């Protein structure tokens, strides 16, 4: 029996649970390198989490239970989604036909509660962040599904993430490269927008009016903020590993090699994000729409090519 | 079937009794609600075993009506509609008994309950009718009784206008149905559905399909024919809106599905047409919903979206039949039928919640609400569940129906036919955009109405509504969660209805649905894990914070020391950036008084998004018709003697014509 079938999934999930905050460290180190600074330690996100978990909390008198439910459901939904996402060729803990819809909608559930928690404070700033978040997420959702459909076509697999990613290396040939390339570009845009990175949102900005994700969680503190931070790290990990599994399909069959290679590529994705953040400013909010629609068009073209390829 | 008819009789009989004792409003309400509970209960006795066990119950009674026969049949497809109609009917009756205050009813309550129980009975009769004439009669009774229900608060001009729009729209739809049944029945020389099915090859199928699409689509609310929904739903009392939006508009979907079973194998363009209508309704419906600030109008437009989602499913199912893909057929029809049930649950819940808000604050304007969750905890919690459920978020039921529809689209998208792949891409984009906008729409609806600080004195003084109302909403919340958590079982028991609707064998349907059912186990598993993780995290948070200082303060105000509730984000501001994306289609009216001079005294901005189609298409047409008909006005002068003369002359002319 192939060990990657039995232990691979849980091992990959555990790797994500432990390694996700490291990705934030890699991004920040890269940005520090380009800025000529030493930057925060690689493990800073872990320190932050521990510090926040040890703190008390202050709540706005306007808020209700929804405000506390936001971080909890947000983290829980991302955690459950992670159980269905394969790490490159290593199948996820659970896989079934249609798991990609479950992953997309679980992330949607987490976002919905985060947005409600933001509206719960009654602050205009958080209302602004909430509405930008839902707007960009709405435009991102069809792109992800169309890109995955194109990928499933070239992989010739059932519509489930694990077999699709597992099939990519065997199906890979010069013919599929354009499809995979377009899908990868679309996914990079999605990764940046879904995880609130530059050029869509600046995680380091200090002006409430211009923020998206950060302003939604402005009133959270203590363990709640720790949950949010960890949830965001897991979501970034989820997208980074998905992208890594597509662009560098290492499928040796050896569990350690496959896991290690995809993880390394995922960290390299972190470096790329850091380079993007160092080399460009954020877009005006109007242009973000254009960027996301552009990604949707790329995904549609990928699908078009995939139709031609399989016939 | 005897029980079924007894149930219908109980419904109508108790309605008549309620109307007879209209002078005593409390008694009338009690009689009607008791009748509704027993009548609907009796109907469920044969319907539930049929839905889950399969088989068809038929009954035929002689009737002196020409061309008609009292033929009824209860198959799984009919039972799938009967069950939500009966259950939501009972819940709406219980809710309405408390919602309509007998003390202020001034005698109209008896008529209201007669129409209410008649509406339930006629909807039930529509879905079991197996004869065209019987079907049309039941359909007309359904339309008229719901018209009376919309007109409950007829003293308000806007209510009268809404009821009028509804009456006109529904009769234009019925006119198409009349043509449909007449042409089909003439070819079959019988109005019995079985006879019509037997002569399906002898009719102009394309024309009849379009007639059915317009006729049933008007009732269901397909996009170009949807204009009555956003008028009638807000005007009706909330329990009536729940019933109309939850199940009555589904009779249009039922009619379309039943009509499709009368034809032979469908050509591909039927599927493409229905798919395009569905995607248009889904996306534009929810964008229009997002642009509304009236809570019930928002919910009405959201019904247009969900009807669109159902149409996408039926369209994909038809494409499956046209291209010979049984899995696509099963998943498309399965997703559509499951969404019928899930939408009935979620939309019923949301309209009941909106009714509770209206009851407590006397306004439907989102911009005057806010902070209701503290004041109405149960209504708020159930409205939150309903919002998540209607957006198709796991672990609620509508997620499962969307999963089936996405699966159907992916089946179509992985075939070799470019046309099917294009259809799949359109369906996926439409469903995903619709889902995203739905999340935005309900984040707005729940967030602005229930969260933050109250925006008006009425909202600040709101109190939780009484027990029957909250109990009804709790029941529906539990149903919304159960239909998601028990997904494999729910979808498995759909097979009979899907087989009826798609006209394929039960075994083939079960095999097709099986593709998804195997995976749905994991959906239930994920729901279980999600709930467990949420509990663990809640416990962790509680343990961590147990012995630590918890402060309470104002929301972060960015240094501005005197924020007021009026400075919160409003429904208009939340929707504006999203609605701007569709500026080409929507014509949002802005009334803007800019701040002028160095010390501006005041400035205002308000937005209102009317229905583009209503403004640009229907209004000019109806004005034109009205002007053209004005030239006949001299004929209508109010002298009865001359009217009798008209009748006599007409009869004479007809006589001459028949003799020639």
């Amino acid at each position: 029996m192939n060990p990657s079938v039995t232990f691979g999934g849980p091992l990959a999930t555990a790797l994500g649970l432990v390694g996700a905050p490291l990705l934030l460290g890699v991004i920040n180190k890269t940005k520090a390198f380009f800025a000529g600074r030493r930057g925060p330690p690689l493990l800073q996100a872990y320190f932050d989490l521990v510090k926040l978990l040890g703190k008390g909390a202050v709540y706005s008198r306007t808020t209700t239970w929804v405000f506390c439910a936001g971080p909890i459901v947000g983290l829980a939904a991302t955690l459950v989604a992670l159980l269905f996402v394969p790490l490159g060729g290593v199948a996820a803990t659970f896989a079934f036909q249609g798991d990609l819809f479950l992953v997309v909608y679980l992330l949607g559930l987490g976002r919905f509660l985060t947005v409600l928690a933001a509206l719960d404070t009654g602050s205009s700033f958080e209302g602004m962040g909430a509405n930008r978040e839902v707007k960009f997420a709405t435009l991102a959702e069809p792109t992800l599904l169309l890109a995955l459909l194109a990928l499933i076509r070239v992989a010739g697999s059932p519509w489930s993430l694990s077999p699709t990613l597992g099939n990519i290396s065997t199906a890979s040939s010069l013919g599929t490269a354009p499809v995979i390339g377009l899908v990868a570009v679309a996914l990079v845009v999605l990764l940046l927008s879904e995880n609130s990175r530059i050029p869509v949102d600046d995680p380091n900005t200090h002006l409430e009016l211009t923020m998206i994700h950060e302003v939604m969680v402005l009133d959270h503190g203590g363990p709640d903020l720790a949950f949010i931070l960890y949830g965001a790290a897991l979501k970034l990990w989820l997208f980074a590993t998905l992208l890594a599994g597509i662009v560098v399909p290492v499928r040796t069959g050896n569990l350690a090699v496959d896991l290690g290679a995809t993880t390394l590529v995922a960290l390299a994705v972190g470096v790329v994000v850091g380079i993007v953040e160092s080399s460009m400013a954020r877009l005006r909010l109007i242009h973000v729409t254009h960027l996301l629609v552009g990604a949707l068009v790329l995904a549609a073209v990928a699908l078009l090519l995939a139709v031609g390829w399989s016939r | 079937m005897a029980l079924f008819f007894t149930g219908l009789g109980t419904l109508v009989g108790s309605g008549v009794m309620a109307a007879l004792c209209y002078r005593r409003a409390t008694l009338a309400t009690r009689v009607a609600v008791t009748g509704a509970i027993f009548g609907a209960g009796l109907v469920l006795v044969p319907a539930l075993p049929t839905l889950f066990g399969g088989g068809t119950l038929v009954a035929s009674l002689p009737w002196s009506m020409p061309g008609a026969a009292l033929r009824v049949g209860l198959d799984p497809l009919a039972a799938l509609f009967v069950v939500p109609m009966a259950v939501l009917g009972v819940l709406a009756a219980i809710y309405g008994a408390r919602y309509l205050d007998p003390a202020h009813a001034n005698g109209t309550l008896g008529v209201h309950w007669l129409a209410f129980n008649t509406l339930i009975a006629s909807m039930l009769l529509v879905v079991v009718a197996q004869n065209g004439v019987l079907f049309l009669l039941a359909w007309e009774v359904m339309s008229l009784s719901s018209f009376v229900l919309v007109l409950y608060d007829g003293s308000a001009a806007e209510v009268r206008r809404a009821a009028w729009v509804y009456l006109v729209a529904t009769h234009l739809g019925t006119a198409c149905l009349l043509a449909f049944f007449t042409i089909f029945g003439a070819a079959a020389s019988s109005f019995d559905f079985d006879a019509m099915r037997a002569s399906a090859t002898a009719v102009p199928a394309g024309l009849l399909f379009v007639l059915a699409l317009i006729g049933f689509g008007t009732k269901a609310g397909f996009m170009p024919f949807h204009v009555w929904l956003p008028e009638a739903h807000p005007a009706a009392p909330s329990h009536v809106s729940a019933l109309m939006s939850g199940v009555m508009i589904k009779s249009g979907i039922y009619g379309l599905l039943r009509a499709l079973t009368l034809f032979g194998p469908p050509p591909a363009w039927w599927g493409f047409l229905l798919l395009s209508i569905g995607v248009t309704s889904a996306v534009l419906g929810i964008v229009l919903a997002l642009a509304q600030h009236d809570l019930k109008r928002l919910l009405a437009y959201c019904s247009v979206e969900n009807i669109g989602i159902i149409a996408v499913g039926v369209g994909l199912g038809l494409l499956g039949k046209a291209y010979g893909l049984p899995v696509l057929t099963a998943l498309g029809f399965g997703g559509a039928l499951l969404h019928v049930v899930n939408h009935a649950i979620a939309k019923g819940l949301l309209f009941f919640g909106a009714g509770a808000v209206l009851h407590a604050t006397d306004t439907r304007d989102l911009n005057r609400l806010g902070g209701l969750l503290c004041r109405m905890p149960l209504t708020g919690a159930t409205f939150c569940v309903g919002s998540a459920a209607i957006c198709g978020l796991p672990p609620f039921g509508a997620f499962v129906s969307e999963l089936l529809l996405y699966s159907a689209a992916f089946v179509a998208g992985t075939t070799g036919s470019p046309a099917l792949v294009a259809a799949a891409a359109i369906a996926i984009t439409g469903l995903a955009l619709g889902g995203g906008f739905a999340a935005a729409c309900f984040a707005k609806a729940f967030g602005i109405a229930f969260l933050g600080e109250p925006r008006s004195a009425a909202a600040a003084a709101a109190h939780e509504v009484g027990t029957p109302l909250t109990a009804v909403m709790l029941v529906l919340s539990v149903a919304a969660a159960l239909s998601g958590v028990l997904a494999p079982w729910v979808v498995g028991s759909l097979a009979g209805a899907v087989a009826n609707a798609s006209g394929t064998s039960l075994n083939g349907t079960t095999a097709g649905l099986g593709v998804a059912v195997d995976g749905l186990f994991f959906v239930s598993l994920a729901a279980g894990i999600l709930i467990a993780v949420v509990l663990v995290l809640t416990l962790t948070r509680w343990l961590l914070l147990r012995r630590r200082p918890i402060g309470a303060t104002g929301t972060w105000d960015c240094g501005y020391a005197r924020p007021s509730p009026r400075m919160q984000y409003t429904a208009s501001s939340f929707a504006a950036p999203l609605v701007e994306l569709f500026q080409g289609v929507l014509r949002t009216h802005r009334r803007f008084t800019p701040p002028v001079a160095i010390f501006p005294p005041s400035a205002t901005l308000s937005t209102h998004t009317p229905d583009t189609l209503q403004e640009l298409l229907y209004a000019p047409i109806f004005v034109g018709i009205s002007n053209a008909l004005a030239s006949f006005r001299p004929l209508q002068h109010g002298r009865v003697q001359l009217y009798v003369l008209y009748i006599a002359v007409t009869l004479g002319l007809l006589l001459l014509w028949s003799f020639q």
Side-chain angles (χ1 to χ4, degrees), chain B residues 151-172:
Chain B
L151 208 51
Y152 175 71
D153 189 14
S155 55
E158 71 172 84
V159 171
R160 288 199 300 273
R161 190 188 112 79
W164 186 244
V165 170
Y166 171 52
L167 194 68
V168 172
T170 189
H171 279 105
L172 288 179

Side-chain angles (χ1 to χ4, degrees), chain A residues 4-139:
Chain A
S4 70
V5 175
T6 42
F7 305 120
L11 204 61
T13 309
L15 197 61
L17 294 184
V18 177
L22 184 65
L23 211 49
L24 294 173
V26 170
I27 296 177
N28 284 334
K29 266 290 177 209
T30 314
K31 285 169 74 173
F33 171 78
F34 275 88
R37 294 181 284 120
R38 208 158 84 224
L42 211 51
L43 301 181
Q44 184 61 45
Y46 296 92
F47 304 149
D48 288 348
L49 286 174
V50 171
K51 183 182 74 183
L52 286 170
L53 285 175
K55 284 192 176 261
V58 179
Y59 292 105
S60 158
R61 274 181 288 267
T62 309
T63 57
T64 58
W65 57 266
V66 172
F67 186 73
C68 307
I72 290 175
V73 177
L75 175 56
T78 318
L79 268 173
V80 177
L82 205 60
L83 291 174
F84 291 88
V85 178
L87 193 64
V90 181
T93 312
F94 305 117
F96 67 96
Q97 286 210 329
D99 53 9
L100 57 147
F101 314 123
L102 183 63
V103 170
V104 171
Y105 273 73
L106 277 172
L107 294 180
L109 175 69
R111 183 183 309 115
F112 189 66
L113 263 289
T114 312
V115 164
L116 288 187
L119 288 173
D120 199 14
T121 61
S123 152
S124 277
F125 295 122
E126 305 199 21
M128 258 175 237
N131 115 11
R132 288 169 190 164
E133 173 91 1
V134 290
K135 178 177 180 180
F136 298 146
T138 300
L139 294 173

Side-chain angles (χ1 to χ4, degrees), chain A residues 237-299:
Chain A
W237 173 269
L238 190 153
F239 275 91
T241 49
L242 194 63
L243 185 62
I246 292 168
V247 287
V248 185
V250 182
R251 309 282 184 267
T252 57
N254 182 325
L255 183 60
V257 175
D258 282 7
L259 276 183
T262 312
T263 309
L264 278 181
V265 179
L267 293 178
V269 171
V271 175
V272 172
V273 173
I275 295 174
V276 170
E277 299 219 329
S278 309
S279 57
M280 65 189 294
R282 55 178 291 172
L283 294 169
R284 285 173 59 196
L285 287 172
I286 294 175
H287 296 311
V288 173
T289 312
H290 302 165
L291 179 72
L292 290 171
V293 172
L296 177 62
V297 172
L298 284 186

Side-chain angles (χ1 to χ4, degrees), chain B residues 625-639:
Chain B
I625 293 176
S626 158
N627 289 343
L629 294 184
S631 53
F632 290 100
R633 200 154 291 155
L635 291 177
Q636 194 186 24
H637 33 59
R639 287 202 199 117

Side-chain angles (χ1 to χ4, degrees), chain A residues 53 55 57-62 64 68 96-97 105 116 121-122 124-125 128 131 135 138 153 208 218-219 224, chain B residues 373 392 402 406 413 415 421 436 451 453 515 522 541 548 550-553 555-556 558 567-569 573-574:
Chain A
L53 285 175
K55 284 192 176 261
V58 179
Y59 292 105
S60 158
R61 274 181 288 267
T62 309
T64 58
C68 307
F96 67 96
Q97 286 210 329
Y105 273 73
L116 288 187
T121 61
S124 277
F125 295 122
M128 258 175 237
N131 115 11
K135 178 177 180 180
T138 300
R153 279 197 75 102
E208 287 91 340
L218 213 54
D219 269 83
D224 292 330
Chain B
L373 188 58
E402 298 218 357
Y406 276 120
T415 53
V421 179
L451 304 178
E453 293 284 348
V515 174
F522 288 99
R541 179 177 166 280
R548 294 191 191 143
I550 306 279
T553 175
T555 298
W556 166 238
C558 205
M567 290 167 61
Q568 293 175 93
Y569 235 41
S573 41
F574 190 86

